[in-house]
């Protein structure tokens, strides 16, 4: 039988909390604040709507703290107030360092049972793909990457596209972006990349100089530049953008044989992007437009859909290619490795509580189920540690006990304690004195093997080196030439605008890198910068843009309307 949101696998409706009450409702969906699964017992004089403290004490006065006289001072034993204000002080978990601004929704993934025209079992034994029509509940979080939690959704930035599949074998997280390539190919550089895109550590302002200082010394980033500084860097909304796993993964079949795969989400609503000017006009009216668009379309029953496609490649080095297939700054050409449909995702239910679901949902690239595996992609290997490590810091050691993160199936572990543990992952009838394995005293036991492990063979020296086939400029130049005229115009305009105030050495390096990708690209950026420099000189100096910014600061004071104190 297919696993649907209405029918949880194995008869398990959810985890048990510390009082023995289900943390999920009978449909297998997360309970986020109300529902019949919560204890409804009331004391004399109470009903289901009676306000209480978190300890269950009825709260008869929620308007005033306890004071000596009605003017104060207050006393220390104000338990209800202390509980309320101390929780309020902690209402926000640390913001994600990246992907802070996000929106999310629940839905379902329906498998085709095939990959292209072939039975999917030929390539993977992952259960969620095997049967035509098989349904798996999902939760999706879309996000911007470099900007803060309340930043406008019109800013130039890659968009995160993360999908949590609640499969019968446990959770699978497919964590990627809307763009199919990334800036860097080695995880060692990720903190440097993000630091260059974050505000200056001294004056706390983002600058084009910082971003292009890093990029000008990182030539593999040029393929991403070709996308990000074009209209592809500002999707019109979350519904009408592609998604990609970005990194290379593996599929493993019942014989333990593996192939390399790339994942792609193709929106059935079509794809729409914005120019910088169009985005600025939208931002002036609504800087939450993408979140609103997703929520209101789902609320109206206009459920967005994406088809999941994969590209498949044999698991070897492919010396016939002019790039390394594990390099996440590259795209696998579709004429050689076609997109093969494997299923369709539909988002059909909005969150009931943003914080409990969208903010606390936690993804990790290491969260795979049987039949899916890691490739040797160096970025993927680094992400696999970083993502889950971030969640343990940000949300807490027991983040996987939260309903939005918990698998919709049996869970039994020997992991105990830690901050905010609210139930024990114990099996029915298990000896609770035994929190280790192996044991002869009725403890947990290993699962039986159902298929052979995938066992790749490795021979080589342990080294720190860049990959051999870098080819940093070919695909970037191809993308530049594939852009339509208006997309190239926007790309040049955005790059010139960001580079205008950068140091000349950075400008010159970027012109050289653009020229290496395509001579026309380099020529147009050089001409744009020359024109901008001439304009600044005509306005009285090389620091014209900086002067404009300083003038704005001065104008705010000079034009501000005086007010009398009160």
């Amino acid at each position: 039988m297919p696993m649907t949101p209405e029918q949880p696998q194995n008869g398990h409706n959810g985890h048990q909390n510390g009082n023995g009450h289900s943390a999920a409702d009978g449909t297998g969906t997360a309970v986020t604040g109300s529902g019949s699964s919560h204890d409804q017992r009331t004391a004399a004089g109470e009903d289901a709507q009676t306000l209480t403290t978190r300890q269950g004490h009825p709260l008869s006065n929620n308007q005033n703290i306890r004071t000596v006289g009605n003017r104060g001072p207050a006393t220390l034993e104000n338990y209800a107030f202390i509980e309320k204000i101390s929780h309020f002080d902690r209402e926000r978990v640390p913001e994600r360092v990246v992907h802070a601004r996000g929106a999310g929704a629940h839905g379902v993934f329906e498998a085709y049972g095939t990959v292209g025209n072939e039975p999917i079992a030929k390539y993977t034994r992952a259960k969620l793909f095997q049967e035509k029509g098989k349904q798996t509940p999902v939760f999706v979080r879309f996000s911007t990457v470099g900007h803060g939690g309340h930043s406008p959704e019109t800013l130039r930035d890659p968009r995160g596209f993360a999908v949590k599949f609640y499969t019968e074998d446990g959770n699978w997280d497919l964590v990627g972006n809307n763009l199919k390539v990334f800036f860097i190919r080695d995880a060692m550089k990720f903190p440097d990349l993000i630091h260059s895109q974050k505000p200056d550590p001294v004056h706390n302002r983002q600058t084009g100089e910082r971003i292009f200082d890093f990029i000008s010394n990182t030539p593999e980033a040029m393929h991403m530049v070709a996308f990000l500084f074009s209209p592809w860097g500002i999707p019109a909304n979350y519904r009408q953008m592609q998604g990609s796993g970005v990194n290379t993964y593996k599929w493993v079949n019942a014989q333990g044989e593996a192939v390399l795969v790339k994942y792609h989400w193709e929106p059935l609503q079509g794809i729409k992007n914005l120019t910088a000017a169009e985005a600025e006009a939208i931002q002036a009216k609504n800087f939450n437009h993408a979140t609103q668009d997703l929520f209101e379309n789902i609320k109206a029953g206009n459920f967005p859909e994406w088809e999941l496609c994969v590209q498949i490649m044999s698991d070897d080095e492919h010396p016939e290619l002019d790039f390394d297939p594990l390099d996440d700054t590259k795209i696998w050409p579709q004429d050689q490795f076609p997109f093969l449909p494997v299923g369709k995702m539909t988002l059909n239910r909005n969150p009931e509580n943003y914080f409990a679901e969208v903010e606390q949902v936690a993804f990790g690239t290491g969260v795979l189920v049987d039949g899916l595996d890691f490739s040797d992609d160096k970025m993927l290997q680094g992400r696999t540690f970083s993502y889950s490590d971030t969640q343990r810091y940000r949300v807490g050691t027991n983040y996987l006990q939260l309903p939005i993160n918990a698998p919709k199936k049996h869970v039994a572990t020997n992991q105990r304690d830690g901050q905010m543990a609210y139930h024990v992952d114990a099996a029915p009838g298990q000896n609770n004195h035994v929190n280790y394995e192996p044991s002869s005293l009725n403890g947990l036991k290993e699962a039986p093997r159902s298929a052979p492990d995938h066992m790749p063979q490795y021979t080589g020296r342990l080294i720190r080196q860049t990959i051999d086939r870098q080819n940093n400029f070919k695909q970037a130049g191809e993308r530049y030439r594939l852009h339509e005229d208006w997309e190239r115009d926007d790309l040049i305009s955005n790059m010139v605008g960001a580079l205008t105030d950068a140091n000349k050495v950075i400008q010159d390096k970027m012109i050289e890198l653009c020229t290496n990708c395509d001579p026309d690209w380099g020529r147009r950026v050089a001409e744009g910068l020359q024109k901008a420099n001439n304009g600044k000189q005509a306005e009285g100096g090389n620091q014209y843009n900086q002067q404009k910014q300083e003038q704005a600061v001065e104008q705010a004071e000079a034009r501000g309307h005086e007010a009398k104190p009160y």
Side-chain angles (χ1 to χ4, degrees), residues 16-22 37 39 41 54 422-423:
Q16 298 294 306
N17 63 25
N19 296 320
H21 304 299
S22 175
S37 61
D39 197 330
R41 290 176 293 182
R54 296 296 289 271
Y422 67 90
H423 67 77

Side-chain angles (χ1 to χ4, degrees), residues 4-8 12-14 24-30 137 166 349 403 408:
T4 68
E6 289 75 31
Q7 182 180 5
H12 293 277
N13 289 337
D25 65 21
T27 66
T29 57
Y166 301 96
R349 182 164 64 87
K408 300 184 188 302

Side-chain angles (χ1 to χ4, degrees), residues 181-182 219-228 329-331 472 475-476 479 517 521:
V181 296
F182 202 55
E220 67 264 32
M222 289 305 296
H223 198 181
M224 182 59 131
V225 169
F227 280 104
L228 184 61
T329 70
K330 302 295 187 294
I331 289 174
N472 295 321
Q475 289 195 7
R479 171 48 49 187
C517 298
W521 188 356

Side-chain angles (χ1 to χ4, degrees), residues 116-130:
N117 297 318
E118 297 183 283
I120 204 163
K122 177 180 177 181
Y123 298 102
T124 179
R125 62 191 188 225
K127 293 177 184 176
L128 79 159
F129 291 127
Q130 300 303 315

Side-chain angles (χ1 to χ4, degrees), residues 422-556:
Y422 67 90
H423 67 77
V424 177
D425 299 332
Q430 175 188 345
N431 182 349
N432 286 329
H433 294 279
V434 178
N435 59 348
Y436 50 86
E437 191 282 328
S439 170
S440 301
L441 303 176
N442 194 28
L444 300 177
K445 295 179 174 59
E446 292 177 323
R449 289 182 181 271
S450 58
D453 288 339
H454 171 53
M455 295 185 292
Q457 182 172 337
Y458 296 97
T459 303
R461 292 187 179 277
L462 200 61
I463 57 177
R464 291 186 180 93
Q465 288 183 4
T466 304
I467 61 174
D468 294 327
R469 286 172 287 169
Q470 298 180 38
N471 206 352
N472 295 321
F473 308 119
K474 180 182 177 183
Q475 289 195 7
E478 290 171 346
R479 171 48 49 187
Y480 176 80
R481 292 184 289 276
L482 284 170
H483 281 321
E484 297 182 24
D485 289 343
W486 67 276
E487 292 176 312
R488 274 193 296 272
D489 292 343
D490 195 57
L491 169 65
I492 300 301
S493 175
N494 295 326
M495 287 191 67
V496 170
L499 281 165
T500 297
D501 288 329
N503 188 287
K504 190 175 185 304
V505 67
I506 297 172
Q507 294 180 347
D508 292 343
K509 281 188 174 183
M510 286 308 305
I511 292 170
E512 179 183 357
L513 292 180
C514 292
T515 302
N516 289 338
C517 298
D518 187 282
D520 182 68
W521 188 356
R523 177 187 59 80
R524 293 185 64 181
V525 169
E527 291 175 353
L529 287 172
Q530 183 60 50
K531 184 177 181 180
N533 287 333
N534 291 340
K536 287 191 296 185
Q537 291 171 1
E539 294 290 342
N542 290 328
Q543 303 301 318
Y544 176 56
N545 280 352
Q546 183 177 344
Q547 290 173 2
K548 287 197 299 183
Q549 293 172 0
E550 292 173 353
Q551 288 171 3
V553 174
E554 295 168 357
Q555 287 171 357

Side-chain angles (χ1 to χ4, degrees), residues 19 34 69 81 89 92 136 409 417-418 434 491-492 496 517:
N19 296 320
S34 64
F81 166 71
D89 292 344
R92 294 295 173 263
T136 301
K409 66 173 294 292
D417 310 332
V434 178
L491 169 65
I492 300 301
V496 170
C517 298

Side-chain angles (χ1 to χ4, degrees), residues 314-352:
S314 61
D315 184 15
D316 52 73
E317 295 184 5
H318 289 272
E320 77 280 4
L321 299 176
D322 62 6
F323 64 94
D324 191 311
L326 302 184
D327 184 352
D328 65 357
T329 70
K330 302 295 187 294
I331 289 174
W332 293 2
Q334 286 193 51
D335 58 347
Q336 296 174 261
F337 308 98
F339 279 24
L340 305 173
V342 298
K344 184 177 73 171
M345 178 175 69
T346 303
L347 299 185
N348 54 22
R349 182 164 64 87
N350 282 315
E352 295 179 22

Side-chain angles (χ1 to χ4, degrees), residues 55-75:
Q55 301 282 12
H57 307 152
L59 194 57
S60 60
N61 189 331
N62 192 43
Q63 315 308 317
N64 305 288
I65 62 174
R66 182 184 255 183
T67 57
V68 179
N70 60 17
R71 296 179 62 234
T75 54

